[in-house]
Amino acid sequence: MACMTAAMVLTTVSFPGVAKAEEGTSTQADGVTSSELEKGKVLVQVDQNVLKANAMCNSEMNPAISWDSASGYTKNIDGQAEYVFDGDERVGTNSEKIDGGMWHSRYTDVNGGKFAGTTTAYSATVRGNEETISDTNRPWIGSGFGRRIMLKKVIYMGRYSATNYSNNIADYELYYANMDNQNEEPTASDWHLVKSGTFAKISGASDIELDTAVEATHFKLVGKTAYDGAGNKVGGTQYVCAREIKVYELKDIDINLTAPTNANSENASATTSEVNTEADTKDVSGSPATMSGAEVKSVNELDLSNPVTVTSTVGDKLDITGENGEDDSVLIQFQIKLKELPSNNHDSVIVAKGDQYKIAYRQATESNQTIYRIKFWITGPASLGNARWKEVGCNFTDKTYLNKWITVTAMYDGTSDTKLWIDGVSKSDGWNSNTAYRNNTGAAIVHEDANVMIGDSTGINGYIKDLKIYSHLGRTVTGNQNNYATLVSSLANDATEVFNLSATPAKKAAYTVSTKWNIGSNVDPETNASKKTYTETVTVTPAENASIVTAPEAVTVNIDGNTVNNKVVPVSEDSTLENGTATVKYVFEDMLRGGSLRMIKADGTVDYTKTSMRFGYDFQLPTDTDFASCEWYYGTTASDLKLSLAPGAATKKIENPTEKKQGYIRSNIVFTNIAKTNFDRDIYARVLVNYIKDGKTYSKMGAYVDQNSVKSISEKIRTNGSDTEKTYVENLTASN
């Protein structure tokens, strides 16, 4: 319509097909509903893998780790922050070496832990910049969610033993942070205290449940005091521990109903955004390689302890042949978060293609000092007969690079230089070798494995993301080895991207929905027309580690097949919550009575250049309810009801409109001032009826998208109208 406005009018005319002058009839203005409708709440556990990947604390044990070539790493149970989010609640002792472990604030001089004792207990060299725990600066454990959640509940589990309470948290404080950058760790000023209290002296789980959920990106639990072995509360610099911590968020239940669109609609369904998805890893570069074995822990993050195999079927896509070879330059860049220092002289692979190129993590000894190294190695091609290997590394002696994301960039220019940067700073420490790579007999060798490996099953504890590999580095790249920013910015235009890692974690639905669709019918007592009623019953079942807290008071209805125009509306009757399962009902009912035209008078004359068109609706309300209001959604196409009229309590209505319709209510929407040039244009509308019971609002919706035009109503009037009405229509529709 060129110009279409909507107004509600009180009417006593019959339907269908009657034109009636209603000079001076009062109208209702457009309004907007503003009531907040409860869509239902489900309490769901935050994925422990995400918490483990983002674990943080201010004090932790770096457990004694031993390496065995047959069985791999074994660790003591007292350990680092991520131990408390490993999902393993089993009882054990250090001698049993079970996988389950717990976070413990630091109490021995083990390199890489975070200090939790007196300042004289351990050397400053070992402590580095660790926090000193005191009466005022207490040990805490926490994590980030990688997104915003409505934090509602935290469960704390203390030491394994039912008789030994040693270092279990007694008095606690719970804090949250809500960061603009969800991946940025909070500083002291970002934390907000949300609850404090005392955990009971038990070996099981203790709950912290907030009265009102808070929007949060991170949380931390502070151990203000602790229990000793006998269960007595102690303060001071007493250590604290936690076997397992679980976090729960409060989520809206999202139920989307598909409304019938016409009289032939025999069924519909309920959908929800809560669906299970599999973890996905892929190479998004050109001619993508195949990836297998990945374990995604958080957004775009892979667990390095679960190796990923990358295979290319496109020639030598992943090959770097090395010095003087056909493709003799490479740049590898990624972000990594290392959770532990390595404990032996074993290379833990971060990224490697056999011995062609490799970035690894290891412990070494230089000048009788233990050092830790991120190293980059590359070899020349076997075809040279005297293959050379080049290696460069970043050495460090403490936890400088632990428990935070760092960007690693490694580059070989194809001739002489091998470079390594950490966070854009050159870290080519110690050496830059150029030595023949030979076996025990002195022959030159190169292990040119077919696959690229990401991660290492031999014990590397950490996460990797944003991994890219470039070859065919141009002069702009290789010529800016001392200008890191220019080097990196030139990659897109002066290098070939051969690998680009993309990963998304698996998603576990908090609940599932199922739909039962019942179709009933009744006869209009005035017209004897059959009217259908569609009742949609939705069952909401919580998934594992979730529970429904509040049954829905509202649902989202797709009113026209266009999700842009979805409407949140009250349910049709009280939802129930029994045995943890919620049941929701919604009714779509054929309420259209018909259409009519309203003659417009101006200064005592009838204006035949325009008219107003009415959609009339008759409906009954459920027992023991009172009428609240009507709303209409309308537009000029059936699939785009983007306009609305919501007069609220001012809705005009007639009760018991005719003798045959006792117990019915009638209310109409009128489209005013429709110009003659638009008489053959269809207008589409859908009605919503709101009603009240015991102070709560409910609703039902028209079964279909209703359709009328001035032309279609005029044809009915020509058949069924009075002489006066027919004359009006003839003059109205006559050519100018």
Side-chain angles (χ1 to χ4, degrees):
M1 304 297 293
C3 179
M4 181 174 67
T5 59
M8 290 296 302
V9 302
L10 179 71
T11 180
T12 58
V13 300
S14 60
F15 293 91
V18 177
K20 177 73 173 179
E22 294 175 347
E23 179 72 23
T25 302
S26 62
T27 62
Q28 299 168 150
D30 287 304
V32 178
T33 53
S34 59
S35 56
E36 291 294 330
L37 299 171
E38 176 59 73
K39 298 175 69 174
K41 298 291 185 184
V42 59
L43 189 68
V44 58
Q45 183 180 346
V46 176
D47 190 345
Q48 291 291 88
N49 286 329
V50 173
L51 298 179
K52 182 179 178 182
N54 296 302
M56 55 189 181
C57 65
N58 68 339
S59 175
E60 64 184 2
M61 281 300 297
N62 192 29
I65 304 173
S66 59
W67 168 256
D68 181 86
S69 59
S71 59
Y73 285 105
T74 57
K75 307 176 184 180
N76 287 340
I77 61 172
D78 291 350
Q80 298 174 317
E82 60 266 21
Y83 280 33
V84 83
F85 304 116
D86 63 7
D88 195 333
E89 302 173 8
R90 293 178 296 170
V91 174
T93 65
N94 283 341
S95 61
E96 291 175 315
K97 306 294 185 187
I98 64 169
D99 290 336
M102 64 181 177
W103 164 72
H104 203 297
S105 59
R106 181 174 168 186
Y107 57 84
T108 61
D109 190 2
V110 178
N111 224 355
K114 294 186 178 180
F115 186 61
T118 64
T119 57
T120 58
Y122 316 114
S123 68
T125 301
V126 173
R127 287 203 314 272
N129 59 357
E130 296 169 355
E131 292 188 11
T132 299
I133 302 303
S134 65
D135 288 340
T136 56
N137 188 43
R138 303 297 300 140
W140 60 261
I141 176 74
S143 188
F145 311 125
R147 57 189 174 89
R148 284 187 174 81
I149 71 168
M150 296 304 297
L151 176 64
K152 177 63 175 174
K153 181 178 180 180
V154 174
I155 293 180
Y156 166 81
M157 301 179 71
R159 185 175 292 277
Y160 304 97
S161 174
T163 57
N164 179 9
Y165 307 100
S166 179
N167 301 332
N168 284 358
I169 294 175
D171 297 315
Y172 70 83
E173 290 179 341
L174 179 66
Y175 291 80
Y176 75 94
N178 191 14
M179 307 293 291
D180 291 334
N181 181 349
Q182 298 163 15
N183 295 315
E184 181 181 343
E185 289 193 4
T187 60
S189 61
D190 296 317
W191 291 111
H192 307 283
L193 177 64
V194 68
K195 194 162 187 177
S196 59
T198 303
F199 290 131
K201 184 180 64 177
I202 59 176
S203 60
S206 298
D207 294 357
I208 307 173
E209 186 150 4
L210 306 183
D211 295 333
T212 303
V214 294
E215 186 178 64
T217 56
H218 298 76
F219 87 100
K220 72 174 182 179
L221 180 65
V222 179
K224 298 294 290 182
T225 61
Y227 291 110
D228 64 14
N232 301 306
K233 189 189 299 186
V234 294
T237 56
Q238 179 71 21
Y239 317 112
V240 298
C241 66
R243 178 186 1 156
E244 197 75 11
I245 291 177
K246 300 175 183 178
V247 178
Y248 290 80
E249 63 175 312
L250 201 60
K251 299 180 66 175
D252 280 335
I253 295 175
D254 175 30
I255 299 178
N256 250 308
L257 304 183
T258 302
T261 55
N262 55 63
N264 295 320
S265 298
E266 294 298 325
N267 57 68
S269 61
T271 60
T272 174
S273 60
E274 288 291 322
V275 293
N276 289 322
T277 61
E278 296 294 328
D280 180 44
T281 54
K282 57 187 176 182
D283 171 15
V284 296
S285 67
S287 303
T290 301
M291 303 178 64
S292 61
E295 185 171 337
V296 187
K297 289 298 186 181
S298 189
V299 178
N300 206 28
E301 298 169 17
L302 301 186
D303 185 344
L304 284 167
S305 65
N306 290 271
V308 181
T309 302
V310 183
T311 304
S312 174
T313 59
V314 182
D316 59 356
K317 169 183 167 72
L318 297 171
D319 284 343
I320 303 298
T321 56
E323 184 175 349
N324 299 320
E326 178 181 333
D327 181 6
D328 56 4
S329 57
V330 61
L331 187 145
I332 305 170
Q333 186 173 69
F334 53 84
Q335 290 190 63
I336 190 171
K337 180 188 284 187
L338 297 166
K339 303 298 289 185
E340 294 176 342
L341 293 172
S343 61
N344 55 73
N345 291 319
H346 171 79
D347 273 356
S348 292
V349 169
I350 299 173
V351 181
K353 188 177 191 298
D355 287 322
Q356 280 192 46
Y357 51 90
K358 175 170 60 177
I359 300 177
Y361 185 48
R362 67 174 297 153
Q363 180 192 107
T365 302
E366 289 189 358
S367 303
N368 296 320
Q369 181 183 18
T370 298
I371 63 170
Y372 309 100
R373 177 177 295 157
I374 298 173
K375 59 178 259 184
F376 172 45
W377 150 302
I378 190 165
T379 66
S383 59
L384 292 179
N386 190 21
R388 301 277 175 176
W389 63 270
K390 297 177 182 292
E391 183 174 334
V392 66
C394 169
N395 297 337
F396 51 102
T397 58
D398 55 23
K399 62 179 185 58
T400 301
Y401 296 118
L402 290 187
N403 298 303
K404 63 182 179 181
W405 286 105
I406 59 174
T407 299
V408 177
T409 307
M411 189 186 81
Y412 172 57
D413 69 358
T415 57
S416 59
D417 284 341
T418 312
K419 293 285 188 179
L420 185 71
W421 294 266
I422 305 293
D423 289 334
V425 178
S426 178
K427 292 291 183 180
S428 300
D429 300 328
W431 75 101
N432 195 326
S433 300
N434 186 18
T435 307
Y437 183 40
R438 301 178 180 277
N439 62 18
N440 292 333
T441 65
I445 58 171
V446 175
H447 301 293
E448 295 191 0
D449 290 9
N451 301 327
V452 167
M453 300 300 299
I454 304 171
D456 193 328
S457 62
T458 58
I460 188 169
N461 188 353
Y463 307 93
I464 188 171
K465 64 181 179 180
D466 299 334
L467 169 62
K468 294 182 180 181
I469 301 175
Y470 296 88
S471 67
H472 294 87
L473 307 182
R475 291 184 179 180
T476 307
V477 180
T478 57
N480 282 283
Q481 295 181 26
N482 297 318
N483 187 334
Y484 180 81
T486 303
L487 180 149
V488 172
S489 65
S490 64
L491 288 172
N493 297 320
D494 205 7
T496 300
E497 183 184 80
V498 297
F499 184 81
N500 189 340
L501 172 67
S502 174
T504 53
K507 180 179 178 181
K508 298 179 181 178
Y511 56 88
T512 57
V513 295
S514 59
T515 309
K516 183 178 180 181
W517 191 239
N518 180 65
I519 303 176
S521 62
N522 66 298
V523 176
D524 187 299
E526 189 175 35
T527 65
N528 294 321
S530 178
K531 297 286 189 177
K532 285 187 176 181
T533 299
Y534 303 80
T535 302
E536 195 164 1
T537 302
V538 181
T539 302
V540 186
T541 304
E544 183 181 4
N545 297 323
S547 59
I548 297 175
V549 176
T550 307
E553 298 176 349
V555 293
T556 301
V557 178
N558 185 329
I559 62 171
D560 55 12
N562 184 347
T563 57
V564 173
N565 300 323
N566 283 356
K567 303 297 180 183
V568 177
V569 298
V571 296
S572 296
E573 59 182 67
D574 277 325
S575 300
T576 61
L577 182 55
E578 296 180 2
N579 300 320
T581 298
T583 302
V584 183
K585 288 189 177 181
Y586 199 77
V587 172
F588 300 94
E589 183 178 306
D590 184 0
M591 295 180 271
L592 180 66
R593 180 64 181 82
S596 70
L597 303 179
R598 178 163 63 86
M599 293 182 286
I600 299 175
K601 289 186 177 182
D603 299 328
T605 61
V606 177
D607 186 351
Y608 293 112
T609 65
K610 57 186 177 181
T611 189
S612 298
M613 181 173 62
R614 178 190 298 107
F615 286 50
Y617 294 89
D618 287 354
F619 49 87
Q620 291 179 297
L621 300 179
T623 304
D624 299 326
T625 65
D626 296 313
F627 177 77
S629 65
C630 286
E631 298 175 24
W632 284 266
Y633 313 116
Y634 62 94
T636 55
T637 60
S639 61
D640 192 15
L641 306 183
K642 63 184 177 183
L643 304 174
S644 64
L645 176 69
T651 301
K652 305 296 184 183
K653 71 179 190 304
I654 300 173
E655 297 184 18
N656 306 314
T658 69
E659 186 62 31
K660 291 183 178 181
K661 287 208 162 179
Q662 300 301 296
Y664 278 76
I665 294 174
R666 176 171 293 169
S667 195
N668 315 307
I669 184 171
V670 176
F671 300 96
T672 61
N673 300 320
I674 301 174
K676 180 171 288 192
T677 54
N678 291 314
F679 283 179
D680 60 348
R681 295 286 301 276
D682 287 320
I683 296 176
Y684 300 84
R686 188 165 221 146
V687 67
L688 178 78
V689 175
N690 296 304
Y691 45 94
I692 298 173
K693 181 178 181 180
D694 298 329
K696 293 178 64 176
T697 301
Y698 305 87
S699 76
K700 60 182 177 179
M701 186 173 287
Y704 315 119
V705 176
D706 302 311
Q707 173 184 357
N708 270 317
S709 69
V710 173
K711 180 179 178 180
S712 65
I713 294 176
S714 296
E715 293 303 319
K716 295 177 183 178
I717 293 175
R718 286 191 177 95
T719 302
N720 301 314
S722 67
D723 291 342
T724 301
E725 294 160 351
K726 291 178 181 179
T727 299
Y728 170 71
V729 165
E730 291 302 326
N731 287 309
L732 184 69
T733 58
S735 300
N736 291 333

